[in-house]
Amino acid sequence: MTTKKSMLEEVKLFVGKHFDKTLHFERTVYWLKQLKPNVDEAMEIAAYAHDIERAFGRATIEFWKTHALNDSDYLKNHQEKGAEIITKFLQEKGYPKKDTKRIAEMVRLHEVGGTEEADLIKDADSISYFEVNAPKHIEKFGKPLGKAKLMTKYDFMFNRITSKKAKEICQEWYAKVVKEAEEQL
């Protein structure tokens, strides 16, 4: 007997097929549930797929040498393309239009927020960033791009957090990576 996969499982397979580093996505879903325990599948999908654009349009270190790590044009494009990619995937799978539209909206706003749901995705993304990605970014971005650029990214990711709970969760990780960057760069 075969069981039908949930759409979240389908999305995980799709994202994993195109992007081999999925721990950040998994932890974003985890933190979303910590911030709002009763999230539905659409919110979980948006949290998991929020950075799907990076699997298709990765910017290089050379790009970042001439752009801020929080470049507003890049972030807008990143959000828009991500929303297009996940929308197309969900439409091909026959996912309900209303939920697909909600997911696209959350992905389209996950860097800047603006709705209750998008703010939750943004906050969970920031927590996961500091838990999973930020410690690695000292080596990946700090040395080739310099401390100032990396610190701008850290500050952006921390200061964009909307909820008090998310800031409290993130505060220690933020302070730790800032200290490490100060010491190593």
Side-chain angles (χ1 to χ4, degrees), residues 55-172:
F56 295 90
R58 297 182 191 189
T60 65
I61 290 292
E62 292 306 313
F63 173 83
W64 293 121
K65 285 181 179 177
T66 59
H67 294 79
L69 291 172
N70 62 337
D71 181 89
S72 60
D73 289 336
Y74 169 79
L75 293 178
K76 183 178 180 190
N77 183 59
H78 163 66
Q79 294 175 122
E80 291 291 330
K81 295 278 188 203
E84 290 171 16
I85 292 165
I86 196 62
T87 296
K88 181 179 178 193
F89 174 80
L90 293 171
Q91 287 173 338
E92 288 173 357
K93 294 290 184 177
Y95 202 62
K97 288 179 184 181
K98 183 178 178 183
D99 289 332
T100 298
K101 186 176 179 181
R102 273 183 59 221
I103 292 164
E105 183 73 4
M106 286 182 267
V107 172
R108 188 176 294 110
L109 295 173
H110 82 272
E111 294 286 356
V112 296
T115 68
E116 182 181 342
E117 290 182 329
D119 286 348
L120 283 164
I121 301 296
K122 173 181 55 66
D123 289 358
D125 177 31
S126 280
I127 297 170
S128 177
Y129 171 78
F130 282 105
E131 178 190 26
V132 176
N133 294 344
K136 296 181 262 178
H137 283 180
I138 291 172
E139 185 68 32
K140 183 177 180 178
F141 293 120
K143 294 186 192 282
L145 302 180
K147 180 169 67 175
K149 277 197 178 199
L150 186 60
M151 296 302 271
T152 299
K153 174 71 171 181
Y154 289 164
D155 290 344
F156 170 75
M157 293 299 286
F158 186 74
N159 292 326
R160 75 182 190 157
I161 297 172
T162 307
S163 80
K164 181 179 178 183
K165 182 177 180 179
K167 280 232 190 222
E168 288 171 358
I169 292 167
C170 220
Q171 180 65 50
E172 194 172 313

